[in-house]
Amino acid sequence: MIFISHNHKDKPLVDMIARQLEISFGRDNIFYDSWSIQPGDSIIGKMNEGLQQTSIFFYFLSQNSLNGITRVAISIDFCY
């Protein structure tokens, strides 16, 4: 499973990357919030489920993510 972590401000670019990964690996092998978390789901619960199955953690690093460094720390903490 590939887990994609990103800042919501980078969604347009990350979405293009996620769709290319989907073509190569299949949607079921990628944790991407847009299609892995549904309305009403526990966001933290779904993230934990995705991380438990993750073999590749893709963190999209950008100025937006650096400006939200607290969220970066939380995302990275989930990996351990």
Side-chain angles (χ1 to χ4, degrees), residues 31-44 46-47:
F31 184 94
Y32 178 49
D33 63 342
S34 290
W35 62 62
S36 299
I37 302 173
Q38 302 302 314
D41 285 347
S42 164
I43 294 170
I44 300 299
K46 283 293 189 175
M47 288 176 66

Side-chain angles (χ1 to χ4, degrees), residues 14 20 26 28-29 33 35 48 51 70-71 73 77-78:
V14 173
Q20 288 299 312
D28 292 339
N29 295 310
D33 63 342
W35 62 62
N48 283 335
L51 286 167
T70 302
R71 297 177 102 176
D77 187 46
F78 279 127

Side-chain angles (χ1 to χ4, degrees), residues 29-72:
N29 295 310
I30 300 167
F31 184 94
Y32 178 49
D33 63 342
S34 290
W35 62 62
S36 299
I37 302 173
Q38 302 302 314
D41 285 347
S42 164
I43 294 170
I44 300 299
K46 283 293 189 175
M47 288 176 66
N48 283 335
E49 286 176 25
L51 286 167
Q52 288 173 359
Q53 301 172 30
T54 295
S55 56
I56 298 170
F57 186 81
F58 175 81
Y59 185 79
F60 188 79
L61 188 61
S62 69
Q63 190 61 51
N64 291 321
S65 63
L66 292 174
N67 290 340
I69 198 69
T70 302
R71 297 177 102 176
V72 172

Side-chain angles (χ1 to χ4, degrees), residues 3-40:
F3 189 100
I4 301 173
S5 180
H6 63 285
N7 184 289
H8 71 280
K9 293 178 183 176
D10 297 317
K11 182 68 103 181
L13 179 57
V14 173
D15 192 64
M16 289 189 296
I17 294 167
R19 295 197 182 281
Q20 288 299 312
L21 290 169
E22 177 186 19
I23 291 168
S24 297
F25 300 100
R27 185 175 279 207
D28 292 339
N29 295 310
I30 300 167
F31 184 94
Y32 178 49
D33 63 342
S34 290
W35 62 62
S36 299
I37 302 173
Q38 302 302 314

